[in-house]
Amino acid sequence: MFRKLLAALVALALPAPALADTLIYNVDGIRIDEEGKVDRFAALLVSDDGRILQVLDRGAKLPQGTGAYDGQGRVVIPGLIDAHLHIMGLGIGALTLDLSQTRSLEEAQKAIKDFAEANPGRQWIIGRGWNQEIWGLGRFPTAAELDAVVGDRPVAMERVDGHATWVNSLAMQLAGVTAQTADPVGGRIERLAGSRAPAGVFVDAASNLIYNVVPEPRPRERDLALQKAQQILLSMGITAAADMGTTMEDWQAFRRAGDAGTLDMRIMSYAAGTDAMELIGGPGPSPWLYDDKLRLNGVKLYLDGALGSRGAWLKRPYHDDPGNIGLPLLTSDQLRNLMSRAAMDNFQIAVHAIGDAANGELLAAIGELAETYKGDRRWRIEHAQIVDPAEIAEFGKYGIIASMQPVHQTSDRQMAEARLGPDRLGGAYAWRSIEKTGGKLAFGSDAPVESPDPFAGWATAFTREDAQGQPFGGWLPQERVSREEALKAFTADAAYAGFAEDRFGKLVVGERADFVLIDRDPLLASAGELRATKVLETWVGGERVYVAPGQ
């Protein structure tokens, strides 16, 4: 019933698909041309199946006898591509409790208490987004601090980076976690000082002890989450995304939307591990489905955790936690075996690596496997946040794609300095250095860890400054990329990273007509102005799928 109602509302709100070629004219267009350079144009001729037939410069004779859409002189850019996010996480996060805006433990406690009181029928109180660094807490929160506001129902709150979970005592009781529970491989149970009693935070693989007893979202709830995520992304000008960690249940939700005609954006899926990869893809990557709107490209693996929870795997101990080098989630043999299992069936491999030890191990594994698995592999390293400067050249040697998130640099800057110390920042968020070796950059947001707003990421990429312009001149400014390079990393190069070049990402003849109308010229705007960009309309495959209120 929900899908039928949603489809009917969409049909009423948006124009019907074009039945003939359509001319999009009177625009101030920006695109990536056939040579990969930024180019200006004034009109697009779009076929009835949503592909670009012509790109017309200013002063060119416009074709006659077509449908026409007057862009009213507004700026048009290619549809933006988020090269790394979590679609269901974004949608479910928007439908549960969001703690990302809380600035203290007390604010978070109040938000959790208010949410629980407003939702008396929920068996579990679920949320995400807390960050003890922003709270200035200097430690992880505890179960007792959750018990103080919600004690009658289990509570599970995921940290902002997705690598730790804060729970109350009832949640631990239901999960059977006691002082005798051992830390799982690749995970850590935080303990109360001077004892083995669990404190209430579970890091990396230890979170599974809790999530094993948390009820899974039902299909109807997943469908609603997918539609919510699409609404958010399309309103920000994102027409395609790489979904990192697609489960079979997620894939089924994507397929249901495709079958119902409500899949409005493009999804390049990377399965949540090799078991999900085989269940979804079978003998290999799926074909492109629903007019290039969905494909299983490969698999997402995890090699370490995150800096915020001190789970990122480092070569030397944390500067602010001597004796701790983080959490390798796979042994050397396990990593290579999983990568081989995927590579032998031509699945693309994307591996999460944040610490310099994790990146070093992964670069070595790619170097070894590249000798066996030839051809166009497009090995992906997700995040690549801290890399030993001596190993950066490996990105170019093997044509490795560094799938990075510019906004992580501004969010993590002070934390990275604390975790690593001043003498170990040489390979931190090293966009320019990686690009100079011949590695390919693909930019994204890691939403819901960060806001999916691509204009914030774009502004960060060429300034290395946050929204307040700090630090002035940029943090490690030698690692900035140009404004045009950042645009490519959010469009054409992000498409290339997902084997989608020649399908979308540039606005060239033959590609899908995915584009966005915005309220300013992003190549002339200051960084602050770029961050304030308003998306007016979003088009996918020659159809308008989002219109801003008031347009």
Side-chain angles (χ1 to χ4, degrees):
M1 172 63 76
F2 169 76
R3 291 197 304 273
K4 291 180 180 177
L5 177 59
L6 183 63
L9 290 172
V10 170
L12 287 171
L14 300 174
L19 298 178
D21 298 347
T22 302
L23 180 67
I24 313 295
Y25 72 102
N26 189 18
V27 300
D28 184 4
I30 299 167
R31 67 176 185 134
I32 310 299
D33 69 13
E34 290 81 355
E35 283 73 47
K37 298 178 180 178
V38 175
D39 179 48
R40 297 273 183 172
F41 67 92
L44 294 173
L45 183 62
V46 180
S47 68
D48 60 0
D49 66 349
R51 296 181 187 274
I52 296 172
L53 294 173
Q54 283 183 264
V55 180
L56 299 131
D57 294 331
R58 193 166 305 281
K61 184 177 179 181
L62 299 180
Q64 303 298 309
T66 68
Y69 180 84
D70 184 354
Q72 300 175 356
R74 293 175 293 182
V75 174
V76 168
I77 61 173
L80 296 163
I81 301 172
D82 192 309
H84 181 119
L85 52 62
H86 309 276
I87 288 177
M88 281 300 179
L90 178 64
I92 291 172
L95 299 172
T96 54
L97 178 58
D98 179 11
L99 296 177
S100 64
Q101 300 305 307
T102 60
R103 291 296 176 264
S104 67
L105 172 62
E106 293 73 23
E107 276 189 36
Q109 287 175 305
K110 182 178 186 306
I112 294 165
K113 182 175 185 292
D114 291 348
F115 185 84
E117 291 176 351
N119 294 275
R122 298 201 181 199
Q123 284 184 288
W124 281 70
I125 303 303
I126 304 294
R128 64 166 314 281
W130 60 272
N131 187 343
Q132 82 282 3
E133 297 294 323
I134 288 177
W135 294 348
L137 202 57
R139 59 172 175 83
F140 280 129
T142 66
E145 288 160 337
L146 274 180
D147 295 340
V149 292
V150 181
D152 61 338
R153 281 174 286 171
V155 179
M157 296 286 145
E158 186 179 65
R159 192 180 184 278
V160 65
D161 59 9
H163 287 270
T165 306
W166 174 30
V167 303
N168 67 354
S169 296
L170 184 53
M172 291 193 289
Q173 179 184 329
L174 291 171
V177 175
T178 68
Q180 286 69 49
T181 304
D183 289 354
V185 175
R188 182 176 69 248
I189 301 171
E190 293 293 317
R191 314 279 178 171
L192 293 175
S195 78
R196 284 192 51 79
V201 168
F202 295 74
V203 179
D204 286 314
S207 292
N208 292 335
L209 297 171
I210 301 299
Y211 288 119
N212 285 340
V213 297
V214 176
E216 284 285 332
R218 293 168 293 184
R220 183 171 53 189
E221 293 166 336
R222 288 184 185 276
D223 292 345
L224 182 61
L226 173 58
Q227 295 306 324
K228 183 64 175 177
Q230 288 194 103
Q231 176 188 351
I232 293 169
L233 295 171
L234 292 168
S235 74
M236 293 182 172
I238 297 168
T239 57
D243 184 54
M244 286 293 162
T246 305
T247 65
M248 173 56 86
E249 293 79 10
D250 296 340
W251 180 259
Q252 289 171 329
F254 300 160
R255 292 297 304 265
R256 285 194 296 272
D259 291 342
T262 58
L263 187 60
D264 290 330
M265 63 178 292
R266 307 190 191 281
I267 300 175
M268 299 169 282
S269 283
Y270 293 80
T274 51
D275 290 343
M277 174 193 81
E278 291 185 347
L279 280 172
I280 297 169
S286 77
W288 285 95
L289 305 169
Y290 312 114
D291 296 327
D292 293 340
K293 285 186 176 174
L294 179 64
R295 183 180 188 249
L296 177 74
N297 280 358
V299 64
K300 165 77 180 301
L301 304 174
Y302 283 90
L303 187 49
D304 69 344
L307 280 175
S309 49
R310 297 186 182 85
W313 182 22
L314 302 179
K315 292 185 174 184
R316 289 189 282 148
Y318 280 83
H319 182 72
D320 60 354
D321 189 10
N324 178 19
I325 62 168
L327 291 168
L329 304 183
L330 298 170
T331 66
S332 178
D333 286 344
Q334 287 172 332
L335 173 65
R336 286 156 176 78
N337 288 341
L338 291 172
M339 292 174 70
S340 292
R341 183 177 170 188
M344 66 177 60
D345 287 326
N346 294 308
F347 289 100
Q348 188 185 15
I349 297 165
V351 185
H352 165 118
I354 288 182
D356 56 359
N359 278 286
E361 179 68 23
L362 180 52
L363 288 166
I366 290 171
E368 294 168 23
L369 294 176
E371 296 301 314
T372 300
Y373 301 104
K374 305 292 186 180
D376 188 5
R377 294 289 171 173
R378 300 189 198 180
W379 313 95
R380 292 180 59 134
I381 298 183
E382 304 302 314
H383 308 305
Q385 287 182 3
I386 312 298
V387 183
D388 187 327
E391 296 171 334
I392 287 177
E394 300 296 293
F395 281 86
K397 183 176 180 180
Y398 297 107
I400 296 168
I401 293 162
S403 171
M404 304 179 78
Q405 300 74 45
V407 286
H408 279 336
Q409 180 261 301
T410 49
S411 297
D412 294 355
R413 171 176 62 86
Q414 292 178 320
M415 179 184 66
E417 291 174 346
R419 297 287 188 268
L420 299 172
D423 63 330
R424 296 162 65 187
L425 297 173
Y429 312 84
W431 312 324
R432 169 63 68 194
S433 294
I434 289 173
E435 186 178 54
K436 283 170 64 177
T437 72
K440 184 81 76 172
L441 296 176
F443 283 163
S445 67
D446 201 15
V449 174
E450 304 276 2
S451 165
D453 178 7
F455 298 99
W458 190 352
T460 298
F462 67 85
T463 64
R464 306 274 290 194
E465 296 175 351
D466 64 18
Q468 288 72 46
Q470 295 298 319
F472 180 76
W475 186 69
L476 304 177
Q478 70 274 14
E479 295 297 348
R480 290 179 297 209
V481 296
S482 73
R483 189 185 299 247
E484 292 77 10
E485 288 165 335
L487 172 60
K488 288 179 62 179
F490 273 112
T491 54
D493 290 347
Y496 173 86
F499 284 93
E501 76 277 15
D502 302 326
R503 294 178 185 272
F504 51 86
K506 290 182 179 179
L507 293 181
V508 298
V509 172
E511 283 193 354
R512 300 286 181 179
D514 300 351
F515 56 89
V516 184
L517 282 75
I518 56 178
D519 70 342
R520 66 200 65 196
D521 188 324
L523 300 182
L524 301 178
S526 68
E529 291 168 343
L530 183 58
R531 289 177 180 273
T533 298
K534 302 297 183 186
V535 173
L536 306 176
E537 298 180 13
T538 303
W539 293 60
V540 175
E543 294 184 36
R544 190 168 59 177
V545 293
Y546 169 79
V547 181
Q551 290 296 306

